[in-house]
């Protein structure tokens, strides 16, 4: 099993920035891609960004140019730098991981408990 723990969520004014972090532990040898999903109230869960162990990234169109995903393979961490935040970015953000053999574009084999991001106008 893989355990994921997010940190860095909170309340921010529109136009501001937040940096989310996620630490992985457990059977980390099985992890290829890591990423971030989010779910807003009344809306479906969506992928925000993903990154493979080799550094290949995938972003939702809605966050391109504003969010940046990065990871440190040695430390088993993944980060999401969120700039120019908008109220529509308000959601619970989940750190995820995908095993080798799974679709790296959408890592979803393991999930963290989530962290709330609220963007006020």
């Amino acid at each position: 099993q893989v355990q994921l723990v997010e940190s860095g969520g909170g309340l921010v004014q529109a136009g501001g920035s937040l940096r989310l972090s996620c630490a992985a532990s457990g059977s980390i040898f099985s992890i290829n891609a890591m990423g971030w999903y989010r779910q807003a109230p009344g809306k479906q869960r969506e992928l925000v960004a993903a990154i493979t162990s080799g550094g290949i990234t995938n972003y939702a169109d809605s966050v391109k140019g504003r969010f940046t995903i990065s990871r440190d393979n040695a430390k088993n961490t993944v980060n999401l730098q969120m700039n120019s935040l908008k109220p529509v970015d308000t959601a619970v953000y989940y750190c995820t991981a995908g095993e080798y053999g799974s679709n790296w574009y959408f890592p979803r084999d393991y999930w963290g408990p989530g962290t709330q991001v609220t963007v006020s106008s």
Side-chain angles (χ1 to χ4, degrees):
Q1 286 290 309
V2 173
Q3 293 79 47
L4 304 170
V5 180
E6 306 97 339
S7 62
L11 175 65
V12 67
Q13 201 82 29
S17 299
L18 281 175
R19 184 177 179 86
L20 304 182
S21 297
C22 174
S25 61
S27 302
I28 56 177
F29 61 88
S30 66
I31 294 175
N32 177 17
M34 298 186 70
W36 295 89
Y37 281 74
R38 68 185 181 186
Q39 186 165 27
K43 298 182 179 180
Q44 293 188 349
R45 180 177 56 197
E46 66 174 348
L47 177 75
V48 179
I51 184 169
T52 70
S53 60
I56 302 172
T57 58
N58 180 37
Y59 292 95
D61 288 340
S62 60
V63 306
K64 288 181 179 177
R66 299 190 298 122
F67 293 8
T68 302
I69 190 170
S70 62
R71 70 186 292 176
D72 186 331
N73 292 331
K75 297 181 179 179
N76 302 309
T77 59
V78 62
N79 302 305
L80 185 69
Q81 178 66 45
M82 304 185 293
N83 298 327
S84 302
L85 283 162
K86 306 173 182 179
V88 294
D89 295 318
T90 295
V92 176
Y93 284 71
Y94 299 91
C95 178
T96 68
E99 295 183 342
Y100 286 94
S102 298
N103 188 341
W104 74 264
Y105 294 98
F106 301 96
R108 55 169 292 117
D109 295 319
Y110 303 98
W111 293 75
T115 185
Q116 177 70 46
V117 172
T118 302
V119 184
S120 65
S121 59

